[in-house]
Amino acid sequence: MKRFLMCEPKFFEVCYVINPWMEGNMGKVNKALADKQWQHLHDTVAGLASVSLTEPAAGLPDMVFTANAGLVHKNDFIVASFLHAERQPEAKLFGQFFAAQGYRVQHLREETIFEGAGDALFDAQERLWVGSGIRSDSQALDEIIAVLDVEAHALELVDPRWYHLDTAFCPLPQGRAIAYAKAFSAKSVDALDHAFGENIIWVSEPDAKNFACNAISIDRHIIMHKASAELKSALKQRGLEVIEADVSEFLKSGGACKCLTLEI
Ligand code: ARG
């Protein structure tokens, strides 16, 4: 059974702007609705997998996006090193949490920006895809390989709206994936086409804007904020079922379902 880490949105709000989605949304989060949406997502995930919680901290509104805590591989946890000062204190708290859970807490070089599983995703074949260009540094890739001894490939993000890899790419079971092409450099689109062939579904711009690629994949279920009828049916034809979980309040911060979880 898959296991995920989540963090209650007790202190969640938009009170700074570090990605384009947050622009114009300062102070605009409906907290009661955010709580309700998070709880619904939690219950949906908990119905299909096991969920652990980490304590939220005052003053760290984005801690709710546990995907950025770091990268988990077996018993290793590579703790994130955030680009923006606003999120940097989260790293210590996540590091402490994973150490207390018995993980070996690993660090990349101090100057290397790495925003965890937001920018590093394993596919069904245990290949790690590492995004860089907006948040994480490209040198994170080699440093991760040195620590984890995994096969890893680089993907270059080119549009600030798709600032983390998990906003534009989601590996699925049986070697499949969904992705949004315009988020990537031409070279990276080729790399994905080459690696996944007909098993990759390129989503439309409206689906991408609804954070369809920011999805949690558990067996044949894919939990996402919203999907078009077209995307649902494309996935259904491949034996995959979309479960929608409305996280509109978190979209105001530039995050959706997958960002609110970290597979551990
Ligand atoms: N406001 C957060 C940030 O800009 C959202 C993080 C979303 N996380 C993710 N894995 N895409 O850092």
Side-chain angles (χ1 to χ4, degrees), residues 21 161-162 180 204-212 225 251:
W21 309 95
R161 286 178 304 165
W162 320 106
Y180 179 54
S204 66
E205 177 155 0
D207 275 323
K209 284 185 170 162
N210 277 326
F211 279 75
H225 170 65
L251 258 57

Side-chain angles (χ1 to χ4, degrees), residues 44-156:
T44 305
V45 177
L48 300 166
S50 110
V51 179
S52 302
L53 297 177
T54 186
E55 245 345 90
L60 296 175
D62 278 340
M63 210 178 155
V64 69
F65 298 111
T66 50
N68 300 119
L71 175 64
V72 179
H73 179 66
K74 298 182 183 153
N75 196 41
D76 287 308
F77 174 71
I78 300 182
V79 64
S81 167
F82 289 91
L83 175 62
H84 299 98
E86 291 89 340
R87 295 199 67 181
Q88 283 163 3
E90 293 178 34
K92 195 175 150 201
L93 300 178
F94 284 124
Q96 285 167 352
F97 174 84
F98 278 89
Q101 302 290 312
Y103 286 81
R104 182 161 49 186
V105 178
Q106 307 263 22
H107 297 261
L108 301 185
R109 285 193 308 149
E110 208 189 308
E111 60 274 28
T112 301
I113 303 299
F114 175 57
E115 298 207 348
D119 270 330
L121 300 170
F122 283 101
D123 68 17
Q125 298 169 54
E126 284 290 299
R127 292 176 296 198
L128 183 67
W129 295 91
V130 183
S132 67
I134 315 278
R135 293 282 178 94
S136 298
D137 287 327
S138 58
Q139 73 262 25
L141 176 93
D142 286 336
E143 296 178 31
I144 293 168
I145 294 173
V147 174
L148 299 182
D149 188 27
V150 292
E151 175 186 338
H153 300 273
L155 290 173
E156 193 191 357

Side-chain angles (χ1 to χ4, degrees), residues 3-261:
R3 288 205 299 146
F4 294 90
L5 179 69
M6 295 182 73
C7 176
E8 279 179 45
K10 193 168 171 196
F11 304 105
F12 172 65
E13 56 180 316
V14 176
C15 57
Y16 48 75
V17 175
I18 58 170
N19 70 53
W21 309 95
M22 298 171 98
E23 267 160 39
N25 278 326
M26 289 226 283
K28 296 251 172 81
V29 171
N30 176 334
K31 303 264 265 176
L33 183 55
D35 284 348
K36 211 173 125 199
Q37 292 177 340
W38 182 91
Q39 194 60 50
H40 179 253
L41 178 67
H42 170 277
D43 295 350
T44 305
V45 177
L48 300 166
S50 110
V51 179
S52 302
L53 297 177
T54 186
E55 245 345 90
L60 296 175
D62 278 340
M63 210 178 155
V64 69
F65 298 111
T66 50
N68 300 119
L71 175 64
V72 179
H73 179 66
K74 298 182 183 153
N75 196 41
D76 287 308
F77 174 71
I78 300 182
V79 64
S81 167
F82 289 91
L83 175 62
H84 299 98
E86 291 89 340
R87 295 199 67 181
Q88 283 163 3
E90 293 178 34
K92 195 175 150 201
L93 300 178
F94 284 124
Q96 285 167 352
F97 174 84
F98 278 89
Q101 302 290 312
Y103 286 81
R104 182 161 49 186
V105 178
Q106 307 263 22
H107 297 261
L108 301 185
R109 285 193 308 149
E110 208 189 308
E111 60 274 28
T112 301
I113 303 299
F114 175 57
E115 298 207 348
D119 270 330
L121 300 170
F122 283 101
D123 68 17
Q125 298 169 54
E126 284 290 299
R127 292 176 296 198
L128 183 67
W129 295 91
V130 183
S132 67
I134 315 278
R135 293 282 178 94
S136 298
D137 287 327
S138 58
Q139 73 262 25
L141 176 93
D142 286 336
E143 296 178 31
I144 293 168
I145 294 173
V147 174
L148 299 182
D149 188 27
V150 292
E151 175 186 338
H153 300 273
L155 290 173
E156 193 191 357
L157 296 162
V158 295
D159 181 331
R161 286 178 304 165
W162 320 106
Y163 57 97
H164 280 141
L165 180 61
D166 70 1
T167 63
F169 172 61
C170 179
L172 298 172
Q174 291 166 345
R176 301 187 192 283
I178 52 175
Y180 179 54
K182 283 190 184 153
F184 297 97
S185 67
K187 202 176 143 206
S188 294
V189 171
D190 284 349
L192 287 170
D193 265 329
H194 182 75
F196 289 91
E198 61 183 17
N199 285 326
I200 192 159
I201 299 174
W202 294 103
V203 307
S204 66
E205 177 155 0
D207 275 323
K209 284 185 170 162
N210 277 326
F211 279 75
C213 296
N214 196 252
I216 308 166
S217 155
I218 308 172
D219 306 322
R220 63 185 177 82
H221 308 281
I222 312 174
I223 306 167
M224 59 178 75
H225 170 65
K226 247 180 214 154
S228 62
E230 189 193 357
L231 178 57
K232 281 182 198 160
S233 105
L235 289 166
K236 197 166 181 187
Q237 279 169 26
R238 292 160 176 86
L240 298 164
E241 191 200 331
V242 171
I243 301 176
E244 288 178 327
D246 188 335
V247 287
S248 63
E249 295 317 291
F250 299 93
L251 258 57
K252 294 175 181 170
S253 188
C257 298
K258 153 68 170 63
C259 317
L260 292 165
T261 64

